[in-house]
Amino acid sequence: MKLTSLSLLALTAFGETLAAPVVSTNSSAELETVLVEQFSIWPEPTFPEIYHTCNVTNTRMLNSAFKDSVEASAVAKRRLLDFGVDDVYYKRWFGNGSIFTVMGVLDHLIESSKEGVLFRCDDVDGLCAENPDYYAGHHRESAPSETVICDYFYQSKKPLSTVCFDGTIVEVGPKHYAGIDLLHRYLHVPSMSLDYVGEFAEGLNETLEYVENNATYAVRNTDNYLYYIADVYTSSVIPGGCLGDI
């Protein structure tokens, strides 16, 4: 396994440029090395184990999505550090919620140990086949550290290089992008959510309701993080971003 020549995606973000490589590797260890070099804001990113039921193509696409997860989260964390709680993006998705909580959740998602966390590609529970045009994956309640990635994931989820191409974030949802979708899948795993962050509200209207009236839960709700990361990331690569109307 080797890293081929890396084509660089120039990201102008808050006066700095993040160079994002297209990772050509099947090795999580190699992926970690590349990302440490590229995103020093995350000195020790960690990743789930990819089970042997994922073929070479599955693995390459998952590793690319893992890279996108780190890239989008790095831009989001940089925004937090640079602009704090008075930032329009922070207020839009977390209201007056604690920035310490938000910072900690982002750090935990990317750098906490994922030992035992497993992504697999066999339809062990039959739910992918039952929902072929709907299920991109699912958390296994019978095996809480495991996530099944369905074939529909590879067909429907897009890389960050396509942001804003298919529509606004409001129109397509932040989970339209594979890297951001994987962050949401992390938070279904008990060792990652710690029974603290979860899907307390789903859908944009409920997410915004937390911002206005319950910031304590805005910083605990999965969708608030996903919308924040997508909103900040798209604004870093396209002037004004592509949030859409809320």
Side-chain angles (χ1 to χ4, degrees), residues 9 67-69 71-72 158-163 177-180 233 237:
L9 170 65
K67 185 274 296 180
D68 279 1
S69 297
E71 180 181 327
K158 304 301 182 182
L160 287 181
S161 59
T162 68
V163 290
Y177 302 104
I180 297 176
Y233 183 82
V237 297

Side-chain angles (χ1 to χ4, degrees), residues 90 93-94 96-99 101-102 105 196-197 214-221 224-225:
Y90 187 88
W93 299 112
F94 300 114
N96 62 359
S98 168
I99 194 172
T101 299
V102 176
V105 169
Y196 186 80
V197 180
N214 194 347
T216 299
Y217 268 82
V219 298
R220 295 184 60 185
N221 185 52
N224 289 77
Y225 285 92

Side-chain angles (χ1 to χ4, degrees), residues 20-246:
V22 177
V23 179
S24 179
T25 178
N26 295 331
S27 166
S28 293
E30 288 183 22
L31 181 66
E32 289 181 18
T33 300
V34 170
L35 294 181
V36 166
E37 293 172 354
Q38 292 294 325
F39 303 110
S40 59
I41 200 167
W42 302 118
E44 297 182 7
T46 62
F47 304 96
E49 177 186 352
I50 299 177
Y51 199 46
H52 65 79
T53 54
C54 298
N55 64 31
V56 172
T57 300
N58 298 150
T59 300
R60 287 167 65 88
M61 293 179 73
L62 284 172
N63 272 336
S64 180
F66 290 150
K67 185 274 296 180
D68 279 1
S69 297
V70 175
E71 180 181 327
S73 299
V75 173
K77 183 175 180 180
R78 184 75 264 163
R79 183 90 196 182
L80 284 175
L81 291 171
D82 287 349
F83 296 96
V85 296
D86 294 325
D87 183 37
V88 62
Y89 293 94
Y90 187 88
K91 289 186 175 298
R92 182 180 292 154
W93 299 112
F94 300 114
N96 62 359
S98 168
I99 194 172
F100 299 109
T101 299
V102 176
M103 191 76 73
V105 169
L106 290 179
D107 284 343
H108 180 70
L109 278 173
I110 302 302
E111 290 198 301
S112 67
S113 171
K114 296 181 180 66
E115 183 177 357
V117 178
L118 184 71
F119 277 26
R120 59 191 301 161
C121 300
D122 52 325
D123 189 12
V124 62
D125 302 308
L127 296 179
C128 299
E130 289 180 15
N131 305 275
D133 299 319
Y134 176 67
Y135 265 30
H138 64 90
H139 173 242
R140 297 194 69 208
E141 293 186 5
S142 61
S145 64
E146 296 185 7
T147 299
V148 172
I149 303 296
C150 302
D151 287 346
Y152 188 59
F153 176 90
Y154 308 104
Q155 300 163 7
S156 63
K157 303 302 179 183
K158 304 301 182 182
L160 287 181
S161 59
T162 68
V163 290
C164 303
F165 181 79
D166 293 329
T168 67
I169 299 168
V170 169
E171 289 170 338
V172 302
K175 289 180 283 190
H176 181 68
Y177 302 104
I180 297 176
D181 181 71
L182 291 188
L183 294 174
H184 131 261
R185 296 190 186 282
Y186 289 171
L187 288 169
H188 280 285
V189 178
S191 64
M192 296 301 299
S193 69
L194 302 177
D195 293 325
Y196 186 80
V197 180
E199 293 177 337
F200 299 106
E202 291 194 72
L204 181 58
N205 290 337
E206 291 184 17
T207 298
L208 293 172
E209 179 71 16
Y210 272 160
V211 175
E212 289 293 323
N213 300 310
N214 194 347
T216 299
Y217 268 82
V219 298
R220 295 184 60 185
N221 185 52
T222 297
D223 273 7
N224 289 77
Y225 285 92
L226 303 184
Y227 274 101
Y228 174 74
I229 291 168
D231 193 9
V232 169
Y233 183 82
T234 60
S235 73
S236 78
V237 297
I238 296 174
C242 59
L243 174 61
D245 297 327
I246 58 173

